Amino acid sequence: MAGTGKAHLRNTDDVLLRVEDLVVEFPVGRTGLKVNAVSGISFDVLKGETLGIVGESGCGKSTTGRAIMQLPSPTSGSIVFDGTNLTALSGEAMREARTKIQMIFQDPISSLNPRRNVRDIVLEPLSIWNRGTKAEQLATVDKILEHVGIDPERAAESKPHQFSGGQCQRISIARSLVLNPQMIICDEPVSALDVSVQAQVVNLLEDLKKEFGLTLIFIAHDLAVVKNISDRIAVMYLGKICEVSSSEDLYRNPAHPYTDVLLSSIPVPDPTVAVKKVSVEGEPPSPVSPPAGCRFNTRCPNASDRCRSEEPTLREIEPGHFVACHHPLFGGEAPVTVRNS
Amino acid sequence: MNPPDVVRSEAEPLVETVEIKTHFKTPRGIARAVDGISIQIRRGQSLGVVGESGSGKTVLSRSIMGLLPRNGVIREGSVRYQGQEIGNRSSKEMRAIWGREMAMIFQDPMTSLNPVMKVGKQITESLRLHLGMSASEAMTIAEKLFRDVRIPEPTRRLNQYPHELSGGMRQRVMIAIALACGPNMLFADEPTTALDVTVQAQILELISEQKRDRNMSLLLVTHNLGVVAGYTDEIAVMYGGKIVEKAPTKTLFADTKMPYTEALLRSIPRLDQPSHSRLATIPGRPPDIVHPPKGCRFAPRCAYVRELCLNEEPELQQASTPDHTYRCFYPVGSPEYLERKVELTRKGEFVSTGDMS
Amino acid sequence: MSTNPNPVTPTNSDETIVKKKLGVGFWLCVAWLGLMAFIALFTPLLPLKSPTQNFLDTANGRPPYSPSWKHWFGTDKDARDVFARTLHGARISLAVGFAAISAGFLVGGTVGVISGYFKGWIDRVSSFVFIVLLSFPSLVLAILLTSLIERSLLTISLVLGLLSIAPVGRLARAATLQFADREFVLAARQIGATNRRIIIKEILPNVAIPMSSLALLGMAVAVVAEGGLSFLGLSVEKGITWGGLIQLGSESSKTLEEAPWIAFFPILMLFLTVLSLNFAGDRVRNYFDVKETTL
């Protein structure tokens, strides 16, 4: 599977974010090796859409989210947000651009400075950018805190550790809303929360999205949660995108063997549904030395010689549904392409 | 591996607890982590214990095994293994049981394995200690165990350190260590929570297989209702240190009685739900186990709460379905429940989640 | 990936948590240190006897005179009042201790925080410098330096300050590293905070806690070090220091036998002061440690 291939990119006016050929590599200490966290992926997000990015550990989904924010800057690739190429921006300009894209992180408690009052934490963005008078800033903060279900008075005199995980996540969400961003990148925002609290946060995000007209990128490893909140899903494996489609289509007609494996591995909370036998062995190879050809070939039940040597590119197999595989579960074999390295 | 004891009746539970309590002394007061739990696990049976933070599920498995800190713990009630009381035994006495009769698999294999000891040694150590094997005997068994748990290239892996192995591999090592002396009872405390979902499926399959082959009993602690649905015979739902519902697995899902269980089931996003389905939520937070609410512990968050619930704690009662107990005054299906449900639906507060009956 | 969907979150912690108290012991130490600080600052103004005057009292025989109402701590061989001298000794000993640790913090702390935050070549260079500094046996270096220079309050403080740069810097760096990778720092960056703002508003308040504990412990070390130097006669010239007093009081076994009070009282003061600093430092660390963990 490859991230190369841009067949799935759209060219309409309402594309808010367009990422092309994103590559992020990290050096491994001083060994000279590098971690190929993200190896040339492209995707786009329309205004008002929720794009889910799903995959297991080492697939590069979190790195992708952070790369969009240039935290740190990607090794190569272009990231165009609302017409501006973020990778070309200087430090100061990038700092400003960041006010339009905000991020929420996985660990709710660690995302907040343990030494500061919650209200100050949420006030911080307004303070940095001098938006309005102090009184106006406080009013905005209080309003948003109430919106996410946190009592502003308590927030004024309490520190993060006095709140629960779910509440801390709401506080993070409030902080990200305060600058009125256009897009929020959610990096595993509910993975560290109890099941019943997850539902609260997911619902909250949906509500806020509608109310504030947000565009969301939702990164997670739990496909059920991602499917619930996303319009469109990109499945990543070892630094590449293997399938992109609408949430419903992905579930009903998975085309990539890996997507199929993911879906069948998820334990279903229904004892009448038989547990499927695991069809994939082993674990993802190391991103330091990814396999040649299709990166999933070492574990794919359908791997052929072609898969071991030639990297597949994303192609459309039904409207809006793209897969990077030589032998997808439906849609026919990939046409032989002229090799152009 | 212990041969089945044909003299003992198979109906007698292997492990039994009677109203056990485990309370911790904390700066804020006494934390009632486990507050009166009675369960029975038969030979070859698997019991799932499900709950969220503060439910006490992890403390429960440790209480049964006796793996509790020495200071600041108050214990009550009885724990019986093969009919014998073990709840009052000291750590020294329990060592004869740990490994040989009962073993535990923990959540985070990275912190549960000794980082400075080769993994092979961690198994052989256990074998030599408990079964008195020689070094070479133990090594042979260790290699076999590694093959049983499907670790590729077992001979090479035996000589590696934990940090050289991936998460899934480490968990397999931990399972191998747990199985080494052929215990009768296996405790799995969130064994797959820290793993990727594909690896999780492999590990669960492995545990299930080993349990079958060795005729072990299994206590599987998890927050994941999907895991528990596929791998257990019976499920106990814990909340605030108590069991609020216990039933055979199929019954629990098909005929839920406790509103908490029902609410939990409805708050999980399911793949077969359409996207943007509104998830049913449980308002509020898990209870404070130091100052639990008066009356039913779930009452403050329950949509079906009534006066009685806030004042009196419900006892465990039998349901009409066999082996099914629950702790609620107005369970699912009761007239009061239905009445309230109608009200909520009318107000639009009862979120319909598609095909969840 | 190690996601824990069941982090042990403090439940209902909006109710009053029983605050971990610093303890009676802590406050006693603070009181003692406060007293010492007061003495150090105001000795010349206090109604003490002169520390240099010889209070010969032929009626009582030859000095040293044992403790009495006239001389609470007795006198030394030259009939100088030990009480007055001990209190005067506090001035230099504490001043040096305080100045040394301040210099160390200022330089070492700054370098440490900057290295820990920016990493890269700054970190590599400063770590190397720290290692070099730490490789010198500090006592030998202190003796070497002090024997070469003109020994005033300033220079002695600077020497001890120099020696404290590396340990303080290393701790500051470690503490900063611990926090610099936390998500709230990343969050601050993504809302557009400048590095300067992040260091001041996000990193420093967190790093300040282990550092304040270190400050107290470090001051204890500095005071002891100064005591050692002055015992060897290498501290501030022409000054009364505890180390010097102890040295005079233990010149010979005869002095110790016949007039143990000459050495004893300065030793006692030094001991209590260092103990208070250590104890308080430890308590501070314990107190703030708890906040990060939960039940």
Side-chain angles (χ1 to χ4, degrees), chain A residues 30 57 66 69 71 95 98-99 101-103 105-107 110-116 124-125 127-129 154 161-165 175 179 191-194 221, chain C residues 1-7 9-10 12-14 17 124 179 182-194 197 201-203 205-206 209 288 291-292 294:
Chain A
R30 304 228 183 105
S57 45
R66 292 179 191 205
M69 302 284 294
L71 289 170
R95 216 166 62 84
R98 289 212 182 99
T99 57
I101 318 176
Q102 289 288 289
M103 203 157 167
F105 303 93
Q106 174 175 344
D107 187 344
S110 179
S111 315
L112 306 172
N113 188 335
R115 297 274 137 238
R116 298 183 74 178
E124 181 78 355
S127 189
I128 293 175
W129 296 102
R154 236 192 96 197
H161 67 87
Q162 290 168 275
F163 291 89
S164 71
R175 173 177 57 191
L179 286 175
S191 312
L193 303 174
D194 272 325
H221 62 276
Chain C
M1 157 181 102
S2 58
T3 55
N4 181 359
N6 291 308
T9 47
N12 282 23
S13 35
D14 47 327
I17 301 179
R124 282 202 285 274
F179 290 106
R182 295 269 291 270
E183 281 165 342
F184 69 87
V185 171
L186 192 59
R189 208 171 286 140
Q190 61 97 19
I191 57 180
T194 54
R197 191 181 177 112
K201 292 206 120 183
E202 311 286 344
I203 305 267
N206 282 289
I209 291 143
F288 285 103
K291 284 274 173 62
E292 296 284 315
T294 59

Side-chain angles (χ1 to χ4, degrees), chain A residues 82-100:
Chain A
D82 205 17
T84 321
N85 186 349
L86 297 180
T87 46
L89 289 182
S90 69
E92 186 56 36
M94 186 61 221
R95 216 166 62 84
E96 269 202 63
R98 289 212 182 99
T99 57
K100 304 212 203 96

Side-chain angles (χ1 to χ4, degrees), chain C residues 165-216:
Chain C
I165 288 177
V168 169
R170 290 252 295 223
L171 189 88
R173 175 182 173 273
T176 306
L177 278 175
Q178 194 193 348
F179 290 106
D181 283 334
R182 295 269 291 270
E183 281 165 342
F184 69 87
V185 171
L186 192 59
R189 208 171 286 140
Q190 61 97 19
I191 57 180
T194 54
N195 281 325
R196 189 165 154 266
R197 191 181 177 112
I198 293 177
I199 291 180
I200 295 176
K201 292 206 120 183
E202 311 286 344
I203 305 267
L204 281 184
N206 282 289
V207 165
I209 291 143
M211 297 301 283
S212 56
S213 162
L214 180 71
L216 290 165

Side-chain angles (χ1 to χ4, degrees), chain B residues 99-158:
Chain B
R100 292 202 63 167
E101 311 283 343
M102 294 188 193
M104 189 178 273
I105 310 170
F106 301 92
Q107 173 176 337
D108 188 356
M110 196 54 206
T111 52
S112 316
L113 292 173
N114 187 338
V116 297
M117 200 191 276
K118 291 187 186 164
V119 293
K121 183 137 183 265
Q122 300 195 38
I123 300 188
T124 55
E125 205 183 43
S126 174
L127 288 168
R128 297 183 68 184
L129 192 68
H130 286 292
L131 300 179
M133 289 187 185
S134 71
S136 55
E137 278 177 339
M139 212 31 134
T140 319
I141 304 275
E143 212 172 316
K144 177 178 175 301
L145 279 166
F146 266 33
R147 263 194 284 276
D148 284 345
V149 299
R150 309 250 182 75
I151 294 180
E153 300 173 289
T155 333
R156 183 169 79 93
R157 297 289 184 187
L158 281 169

Side-chain angles (χ1 to χ4, degrees), chain A residues 41 43 51-55 59-62 64-65 68 217-221 226 230 232-236:
Chain A
I41 65 170
F43 61 92
L51 172 72
I53 304 182
V54 75
C59 70
K61 55 192 193 297
S62 282
T64 304
I68 297 175
I217 295 184
F218 194 91
I219 301 170
H221 62 276
V226 172
S230 313
R232 209 154 176 255
I233 301 180
V235 180
M236 284 185 72

Side-chain angles (χ1 to χ4, degrees), chain B residues 156-292:
Chain B
R156 183 169 79 93
R157 297 289 184 187
L158 281 169
N159 282 318
Q160 288 189 323
Y161 290 95
H163 67 264
E164 294 178 79
L165 306 171
S166 65
M169 207 92 77
R170 279 183 233 134
Q171 196 60 298
R172 290 171 196 271
V173 169
M174 194 140 78
I175 295 172
I177 295 176
L179 297 174
C181 302
N184 291 320
M185 174 84 219
L186 188 63
F187 293 90
D189 189 355
E190 303 260 25
T192 54
T193 304
L195 303 172
D196 279 322
V197 74
T198 50
V199 181
Q200 174 174 292
Q202 294 170 17
I203 297 289
L204 287 170
E205 200 177 84
L206 174 65
I207 294 178
S208 193
E209 194 185 86
Q210 290 298 316
K211 168 191 167 289
R212 235 184 359 251
D213 291 346
R214 293 164 187 256
N215 196 26
M216 290 188 302
S217 307
L218 175 67
L219 182 90
L220 179 61
V221 175
T222 178
H223 65 283
N224 188 327
L225 283 155
V227 166
V228 114
Y231 293 95
T232 58
D233 304 314
E234 197 184 8
I235 301 175
V237 179
M238 281 186 72
Y239 189 85
K242 294 196 182 274
I243 291 184
V244 293
E245 188 163 5
K246 183 150 69 91
T249 305
K250 290 211 172 70
T251 314
L252 189 83
F253 285 85
D255 194 15
T256 320
K257 281 266 177 267
M258 206 338 197
Y260 171 63
T261 316
E262 184 196 54
L264 204 58
L265 285 168
R266 298 179 67 244
S267 68
I268 309 170
R270 291 177 54 140
L271 282 170
D272 48 8
Q273 281 171 333
S275 300
H276 302 296
S277 301
R278 191 120 181 116
L279 297 168
T281 61
I282 309 179
R285 294 185 269 152
D288 184 352
I289 51 177
V290 178
H291 303 293

